[in-house]
Structure formats: structure tokens, C-alpha cells
């Protein structure tokens, strides 16, 4: 990824601060107190799943749990519950790993299924706009806020989880961490190692909602109206 006009931008900020730009010797502060590291500290994976499940009720999200063998059945039941006639999914190797490639092939006769294809950008968008359901895997899952983290790339567009009427997140058990703190740590560590990171990272906490008007919560205002999380052991 090429960053455009970075030096000009940073130079302008430094000038506005009335000092020369610092290009070396900058270190992250070492704080004496780190309360963010104490939240849900030492919790077992099972405890974190309990926290996630309770938070799902608060954010109007259906919580389900299964194992790899039962995932196909649970996913099919969820699609039927949403009366899904069209679904869109990323071109994710986990589709094969979790046995979903066969399911998508099987249901194609009755349900219009679109696998994201970066060579067909406009077609992807048009299909996502009219799709009943978008289905993705979570890359990091935040128990505290019941948030799924999605790392987007050419085979996984943002519109999959944004435009369809309903959204289903498949959550591998090992992706569950206490909170945003651990997610940002993973991203920072990847950058420090020089690894390629996603050009866009989405944090999704249940169906779309807003409480801008007199703090009255309205669900389904600018994105999926319904959401289901499926935790996979």
C-alpha cells in the first residue's frame, strides 16, 4: 500500500505546533498505570464466551454455539430463520476449512449464492445491496462489547457485512479475546514485525443501530437489521 502525501501532511502538523518535525528518537510513553489491561484479566476462554453471550442480549444479537461438525446444520437453520433467498460470502479459505464450501454448493439450487470475486467489483457491490444475508468469519472477537473484527482485503469486501438485510458472523473459539485492547495489540505487533495488514479493519457490534434522537435506540437504521453470532468450538 502506498501512502500519498504523508510527509507534506506531517510537516504541516509540525509547523502548526510551532516546532520542527520529529523523525527519530520518538518512543511510546511507558505509563505507570494501565487499567485497560486489567479488564477481564485472567479469564478462561469459557468465561469469555459467557461474557460474549450476555453482551449479545444487550446489543440485540442472536447467540448460537456449536462445533465444526454442527456448524453446517446451525448455519443452514439460521439462513432459513432469516428466510434467506440470497447470500454473499467472502472468498475465505476458512469456507473450506470449516466445511462450508459444500454447503454453499448444496444450497445454490434454492438460494442464490455469491462468492466475492475481486475481479468483479461492481457485480459484488450490486449483489451485496440486494442480498438477504452476508456471512463472514470473525478474525478477532471482543467479548466485552460482543464485537467481531474483520480484516478486509481483495477477497473480502466491506459491503458483505454492511449492505445485506441480515448478518451472520462465524466466530472460531480461539479468536475470542477480552476487549479492544487485545485486538489493537495484535495489530500493533503485526505492524512491528513488518507484516502486511488489512487496508481496512471493521469492528461490528451486532445489527446497525442509533440512539441519536433523545437516546431512543433504533435498530437497523443504516445496515443489517438482524445479526447472529455463531461460536464454533
Amino acid at each position: 500500500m502506498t501512502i500519498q502525501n504523508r510527509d507534506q501532511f506531517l510537516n504541516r502538523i509540525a509547523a502548526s505546533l510551532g516546532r520542527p518535525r520529529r523523525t527519530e528518537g520518538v518512543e511510546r510513553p511507558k505509563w505507570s498505570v494501565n487499567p485497560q489491561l486489567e479488564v477481564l484479566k485472567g479469564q478462561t476462554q469459557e468465561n469469555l464466551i459467557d461474557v460474549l453471550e450476555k453482551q449479545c442480549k444487550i446489543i440485540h444479537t442472536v447467540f448460537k454455539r456449536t462445533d465444526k461438525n454442527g456448524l453446517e446444520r446451525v448455519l443452514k437453520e439460521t439462513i432459513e430463520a432469516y428466510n434467506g433467498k440470497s447470500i454473499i460470502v467472502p472468498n475465505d479459505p476458512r469456507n473450506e476449512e470449516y466445511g462450508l464450501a459444500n454447503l454453499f454448493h448444496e444450497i445454490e439450487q434454492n438460494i442464490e449464492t455469491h462468492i466475492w470475486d475481486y475481479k468483479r467489483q461492481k457485480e459484488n457491490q450490486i449483489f451485496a445491496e440486494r442480498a438477504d444475508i452476508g456471512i463472514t468469519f470473525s478474525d478477532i472477537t471482543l467479548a466485552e462489547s460482543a464485537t467481531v473484527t474483520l480484516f478486509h482485503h481483495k477477497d473480502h469486501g466491506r459491503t458483505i457485512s454492511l449492505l445485506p438485510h441480515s448478518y451472520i458472523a462465524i466466530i472460531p473459539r480461539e479468536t475470542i479475546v477480552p476487549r479492544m485492547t487485545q485486538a489493537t495489540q495484535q495489530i500493533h505487533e503485526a505492524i512491528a514485525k513488518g507484516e502486511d495488514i488489512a487496508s481496512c479493519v471493521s469492528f461490528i457490534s451486532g445489527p446497525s443501530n442509533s440512539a441519536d434522537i433523545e437516546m431512543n435506540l433504533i435498530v437497523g437504521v443504516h445496515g443489517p437489521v438482524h445479526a447472529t453470532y455463531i461460536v464454533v468450538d
Side-chain angles (χ1 to χ4, degrees), residues 65-74 98 231-233:
R65 187 174 181 182
T66 184
D67 56 20
K68 273 190 176 183
N69 293 331
L71 176 58
E72 181 176 327
R73 173 184 55 81
V74 173
Y98 281 75
V231 173
V232 184
D233 291 315

Side-chain angles (χ1 to χ4, degrees), residues 88 112-127 130 154:
I88 182 170
E112 194 175 5
T113 303
H114 182 85
I115 307 294
W116 188 272
D117 183 350
Y118 72 91
K119 298 177 183 177
R120 302 158 59 194
Q121 294 186 6
K122 193 62 180 179
E123 291 179 51
N124 293 328
Q125 179 185 338
I126 292 174
F127 192 95
R130 64 179 181 83
K154 66 182 180 67

Side-chain angles (χ1 to χ4, degrees), residues 182-196:
Q182 288 71 34
T184 55
Q185 283 176 339
Q186 289 187 31
I187 295 171
H188 283 309
E189 289 171 3
I191 294 173
K193 293 177 182 177
E195 298 176 3
D196 289 335

Side-chain angles (χ1 to χ4, degrees), residues 23-192:
T23 57
E24 58 183 19
V26 179
E27 296 181 2
R28 186 182 298 274
K30 296 182 180 179
W31 308 108
S32 59
V33 179
N34 295 281
Q36 74 276 14
L37 300 178
E38 301 302 316
V39 179
L40 299 175
K41 182 178 180 180
Q43 296 294 313
T44 65
Q45 203 71 2
E46 198 63 32
N47 289 343
L48 291 179
I49 292 174
D50 290 339
V51 172
L52 174 67
E53 182 176 8
K54 291 176 182 177
Q55 184 64 21
C56 280
K57 296 178 182 178
I58 297 174
I59 65 170
H60 308 280
T61 297
V62 177
F63 176 92
K64 297 184 178 183
R65 187 174 181 182
T66 184
D67 56 20
K68 273 190 176 183
N69 293 331
L71 176 58
E72 181 176 327
R73 173 184 55 81
V74 173
L75 183 58
K76 187 182 295 185
E77 291 174 353
T78 306
I79 292 172
E80 291 174 352
Y82 284 146
N83 194 29
K85 301 301 181 185
S86 56
I87 63 174
I88 182 170
V89 299
N91 186 8
D92 193 318
R94 287 172 291 188
N95 293 340
E96 190 76 38
E97 179 186 345
Y98 281 75
L100 300 184
N102 291 333
L103 172 63
F104 296 146
H105 179 71
E106 173 191 331
I107 64 177
E108 274 184 327
Q109 297 179 358
N110 301 312
I111 299 175
E112 194 175 5
T113 303
H114 182 85
I115 307 294
W116 188 272
D117 183 350
Y118 72 91
K119 298 177 183 177
R120 302 158 59 194
Q121 294 186 6
K122 193 62 180 179
E123 291 179 51
N124 293 328
Q125 179 185 338
I126 292 174
F127 192 95
E129 288 174 347
R130 64 179 181 83
D132 294 323
I133 303 171
I135 304 172
T136 73
F137 282 88
S138 175
D139 295 302
I140 308 175
T141 310
L142 319 182
E144 180 187 43
S145 55
T147 300
V148 297
T149 307
L150 308 182
F151 293 154
H152 298 289
H153 48 77
K154 66 182 180 67
D155 292 318
H156 181 183
R158 291 173 294 175
T159 54
I160 296 175
S161 55
L162 179 64
L163 296 183
H165 186 265
S166 300
Y167 172 59
I168 301 173
I170 301 172
I171 300 175
R173 173 191 175 99
E174 63 273 13
T175 68
I176 302 174
V177 299
R179 65 197 310 266
M180 179 71 76
T181 303
Q182 288 71 34
T184 55
Q185 283 176 339
Q186 289 187 31
I187 295 171
H188 283 309
E189 289 171 3
I191 294 173

